[in-house]
């Protein structure tokens, strides 16, 4: 975005605001994981959004794919977001379904969990 002279903060704030309003509609797990991953990739810590994503994940963790779980763990770790019940639930679910993970998902999950320790 900076290449185009666009500040990412107002854009990301707008995205977070709209996404937060739609969280009560039970968004698709892939969309939730993608938003977390995107904000982490940009290094943008938006605590209300991460709290809402964390609450959503805790209620629907069994619906997430291996890639979704890996992306979430990686995003939270990258942003330094520590939510003990969420991290525990993600780690337990990752252990349950790691046989479904691609090699990259395994590597990302292992790195993220180690980074949260």
């Amino acid at each position: 975005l900076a290449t185009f002279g666009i500040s990412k903060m107002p854009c990301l704030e707008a995205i977070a605001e709209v996404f937060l309003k739609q969280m009560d509609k039970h968004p698709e797990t892939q969309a939730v994981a993608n938003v977390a991953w995107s904000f982490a990739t940009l290094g943008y810590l938006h605590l209300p959004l991460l709290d809402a994503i964390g609450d959503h994940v805790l209620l629907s963790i069994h619906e997430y794919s291996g890639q979704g779980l890996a992306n979430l763990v990686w995003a939270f770790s990258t942003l330094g977001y520590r939510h003990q019940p969420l991290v525990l639930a993600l780690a337990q679910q990752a252990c349950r379904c790691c046989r479904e993970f691609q090699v990259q998902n395994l590597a990302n999950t292992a790195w993220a969990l180690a980074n949260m320790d």
Side-chain angles (χ1 to χ4, degrees):
L1 290 173
T3 304
F4 300 106
I6 300 170
S7 171
K8 67 181 175 184
M9 189 174 296
C11 181
L12 293 176
E13 282 294 325
I15 290 169
E17 182 180 323
V18 171
F19 202 79
L20 281 167
K21 288 179 183 174
Q22 296 184 11
M23 288 297 289
D24 63 341
K25 297 177 184 174
H26 197 73
E28 301 242 351
T29 57
Q30 190 63 47
V32 174
N34 286 349
V35 167
W37 179 87
S38 298
F39 274 63
T41 298
L42 293 168
Y44 192 67
L45 180 65
H46 190 284
L47 290 176
L49 178 64
L50 292 177
D51 289 341
I53 288 173
D55 292 343
H56 178 271
V57 171
L58 285 172
L59 294 174
S60 58
I61 197 161
H62 299 290
E63 297 174 28
Y64 281 83
S65 68
Q67 177 154 2
L69 289 170
N71 286 352
L72 287 165
V73 174
W74 180 87
F76 293 139
S77 179
T78 297
L79 289 170
Y81 180 73
R82 302 295 189 263
H83 183 296
Q84 186 79 18
L86 177 62
V87 172
L88 182 59
L90 286 168
Q92 289 172 339
Q93 185 64 12
C95 289
R96 280 189 212 96
C97 65
C98 67
R99 288 174 182 79
E100 303 167 22
F101 282 24
Q102 303 277 329
V103 172
Q104 188 65 50
N105 302 144
L106 291 169
N108 289 350
T109 302
W111 173 87
L113 292 173
N115 192 49
M116 289 181 171
D117 191 24

